[in-house]
DNA sequence: CCTACCGATCGGTAGG
DNA sequence: CCTACCGATCGGTAGG
């Protein structure tokens, strides 16, 4: 090939550089989620994007780094959204409700992200996992804090905190495995259902009695436990 | 090698044939669970067992068939145990309680089995999956029946059945990812906690009011909803 | 971004 | 159950 042709190619490459990099990450996420990381070759990703394998290396440093980037971005983003969801919520019950409904909705909307993040963690090397695990711990801590505070202020039963939180997190992850975006339920509806279910397992019975069989949404919860700025209302209804 | 030596080897092989086959399945399950199917080579399994790769083929027909056998056995065994657990239980609430506590205890005791069964399903080919999926469907059906019957007889709230069951099954699977057999809780304790949590999310509030904050074990449930052989006791306590 | 290519690994087989 | 070996695939690189 003559020099001009090469120059031309490089110019063309640069003008679509950002788009190509995004395409790589998009298709990689999709393939990793549906076929698994191990069963997805760089050749599959290159083909989906429409380039040769060697060309991938102007955008990524390797297959494992590609997986790591996807997992790190997804986990960081999730943490930030959950932190934002509980940011100015004082009442523990309302905080847990916000965590569960936000988390479930995210796991519905970004199924592939969730699936890859949890199915492929073993593929990372130790150094990479040492970045992801603290992020996960921070997410779990939001839940641990909410449940602990809820027990302390008397809105939750005195459950074993760690196991309960593990249960809630498992429930949320599971959503990514079965949620059907073409089905009847919206992410928000699934979120509300799971939040209701989780809260009912935790709230003290006196509060549940006041709620009856109505859905435990944020508004009803605020009536039941107060908004954290004053005395809990335990004779609502 | 002379004929005598070969004969000797074959005799030695036959006398430990059963033991070797079991060793292969044991080590394969352990390696698949900890390192994943894709990252486990037949060489790893052979080394763990203490034979050469080629020798594996007198016991198994291939790597994928080995995975399939493990998954099929585990799933069939689980189905049978769950069926036995609900066999002569009439009350829907008691049936769900039996399902959850038996299932959670099994997933604690056989973590590797559970992890492999759910993490590696994508590695099977279509024909193999067509054996496993109906078994899973039968397991899910036990839950669907219990929840539906519980709504019909008035012990459960009118929840969306499918989503609720998906939630319970996710919760149970999750146990295999975090349960620590060297930790403080026995499988039975974890089982009882999760069964309590699940039942509280489902029972109608009048029944919960009668239960108060006591653990919803089988005995208490029988008092609350009856044993299915008579009229539900809804004014217990 | 492409052509051409490589070393390593892997599941599996032949034959005894 | 072992020795010896193979074809296929894969992540990745050199060089333009």
């Amino acid at each position: 090939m003559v020099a001009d042709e090469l120059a031309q190619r490089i110019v063309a490459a640069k003008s679509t550089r950002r788009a190509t990099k995004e395409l790589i990450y998009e298709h990689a996420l999709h393939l990793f989620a549906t076929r698994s990381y191990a069963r997805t070759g760089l050749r599959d990703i290159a083909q989906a994007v429409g380039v040769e394998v060697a060309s991938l290396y102007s955008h990524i440093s390797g297959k494992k780094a590609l997986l790591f980037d996807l997992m790190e971005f997804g986990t960081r983003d999730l943490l930030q959204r959950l932190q934002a969801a509980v940011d100015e919520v004082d009442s523990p019950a309302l905080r847990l409700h916000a965590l569960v409904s936000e988390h479930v909705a995210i796991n519905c909307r970004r199924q592939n992200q969730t699936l890859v993040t949890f199915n492929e963690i073993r593929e990372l090397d130790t150094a990479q996992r040492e970045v992801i695990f603290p992020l996960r711990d921070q997410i779990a801590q939001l839940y641990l804090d909410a449940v602990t505070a809820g027990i302390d202020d008397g809105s939750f039963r005195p459950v074993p905190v760690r196991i309960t939180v593990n249960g809630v997190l498992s429930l949320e992850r599971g959503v990514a495995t079965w949620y059907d975006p073409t089905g009847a339920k919206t992410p928000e509806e699934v979120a509300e259902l799971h939040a209701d279910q989780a809260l009912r397992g935790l709230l003290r019975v006196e509060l549940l009695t006041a709620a009856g069989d109505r859905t435990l949404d944020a508004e009803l919860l605020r009536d039941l436990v107060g908004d954290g700025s004053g005395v809990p209302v335990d004779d609502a209804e």
Side-chain angles (χ1 to χ4, degrees), chain A:
Chain A
M1 150 195 345
V2 292
D4 268 7
E5 276 173 358
L6 180 62
Q8 231 176 328
R9 276 199 199 173
I10 290 172
V11 170
K14 283 215 172 152
S15 70
T16 56
R17 206 162 201 288
R18 176 173 293 276
T20 303
K21 185 159 189 174
E22 276 165 22
L23 279 177
I24 293 172
Y25 280 94
E26 267 171 39
H27 284 107
L29 185 64
H30 178 253
L31 289 165
F32 290 167
T34 51
R35 265 191 233 178
S36 86
Y37 174 81
R39 289 165 64 86
T40 301
L42 289 176
R43 281 152 184 83
D44 300 319
I45 298 171
Q47 194 180 30
V49 173
V51 297
E52 292 301 316
V53 181
S55 309
L56 296 175
Y57 284 83
S58 15
H59 301 283
I60 63 171
S61 64
K63 191 188 178 193
K64 212 188 273 184
L66 174 53
L67 175 64
F68 173 74
D69 287 349
L70 289 170
M71 289 189 47
E72 195 202 5
F73 172 81
T75 310
R76 243 180 242 289
D77 184 69
L78 175 62
L79 172 59
Q80 278 167 14
R81 285 171 193 269
L82 293 181
Q83 276 171 336
V86 295
D87 202 19
E88 290 180 1
V89 182
D90 286 323
S91 153
L94 281 166
R95 234 151 66 209
L96 187 68
H97 185 275
L99 286 172
V100 176
S101 55
E102 176 74 4
H103 203 149
V104 169
I106 290 171
N107 285 0
C108 285
R109 287 193 220 104
R110 299 172 43 175
Q111 283 184 283
N112 288 345
Q113 185 75 253
T114 308
L115 289 172
V116 170
T117 300
F118 286 101
N119 288 340
E120 309 295 358
I121 185 74
R122 287 172 305 183
E123 303 286 344
L124 298 183
D125 56 43
T126 312
Q128 292 172 321
R129 265 177 276 181
E130 274 168 12
V131 177
I132 304 294
F133 283 146
L135 295 173
R136 288 196 186 179
D137 290 344
Q138 286 183 68
I139 291 171
Q141 197 60 51
L142 295 174
Y143 286 85
L144 293 168
D145 289 347
V147 173
T148 304
I151 294 172
D152 288 349
D153 83 352
S155 44
F156 293 161
R157 295 180 300 121
V159 294
V161 178
R162 187 98 229 171
I163 295 184
T164 301
V165 168
N166 284 337
V168 173
L169 292 172
S170 297
L171 189 94
E172 292 166 340
R173 267 170 231 163
V175 167
T177 67
W178 58 261
Y179 180 69
D180 174 11
T182 70
K185 301 278 182 201
T186 64
E188 288 71 23
E189 287 168 337
V190 177
E192 195 65 64
L193 279 163
H194 277 320
D196 181 67
Q197 182 90 2
L199 265 295
R200 280 178 186 275
L202 279 173
L203 283 177
R204 286 188 51 221
V205 168
E206 298 129 66
L207 295 174
L208 279 181
T209 304
D213 286 338
R214 291 175 294 167
T215 298
L216 284 169
D217 56 20
E219 194 186 345
L220 175 54
L221 273 175
R222 225 184 324 267
D223 289 344
L224 292 175
V225 301
D227 60 5
S229 61
V231 188
V233 184
D234 55 26
D235 58 355
E237 171 80 311

